[in-house]
């Protein structure tokens, strides 16, 4: 999840290769917490990814559990 310029929280869809506003079948979901954290860490430092998504604030990147919005990382 990241915040956009308008502070709306958005979820990244690896299928659609873009951020989506609502959690749906396209939002990226992992079965294992470790896997999600690994992806989050890689994404946080991926400059080329963020160049293509300048409307989103990299500093607000966080992983949350969809069921209850508990923050998983960082």
């Amino acid at each position: 999840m990241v915040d956009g310029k308008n502070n709306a929280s958005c979820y990244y869809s690896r299928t659609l290769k873009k951020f989506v506003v609502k959690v749906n079948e396209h939002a990226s979901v992992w079965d294992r917490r470790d896997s999600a954290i690994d992806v989050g860490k890689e994404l946080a430092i991926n400059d080329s990814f963020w160049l293509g998504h300048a409307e989103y604030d990299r500093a607000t990147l966080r992983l949350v559990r969809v069921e209850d919005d508990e923050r998983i990382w960082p």
Side-chain angles (χ1 to χ4, degrees), residues 2 5-6 10 25 28 30 36 44 48 60-61 64-65 71:
V2 296
K5 299 293 184 197
N6 61 359
C10 301
E25 70 276 6
S28 295
W30 292 269
S48 61
T60 67
L61 176 65
V64 297
R65 188 168 51 210
R71 184 178 279 210

Side-chain angles (χ1 to χ4, degrees), residues 11-22:
Y11 301 86
Y12 188 68
S13 166
R14 289 186 292 174
T15 304
L16 299 174
K17 304 249 188 283
K18 68 177 187 174
F19 285 97
V20 294
V21 176
K22 294 183 179 180

Side-chain angles (χ1 to χ4, degrees), residues 2 4 10 12 14 23 40 42 45 55 62 68 70-72 74:
V2 296
C10 301
Y12 188 68
R14 289 186 292 174
V23 174
E42 289 176 21
I45 61 172
E55 67 274 26
R62 60 210 179 275
D68 59 9
E70 178 188 341
R71 184 178 279 210
I72 304 299

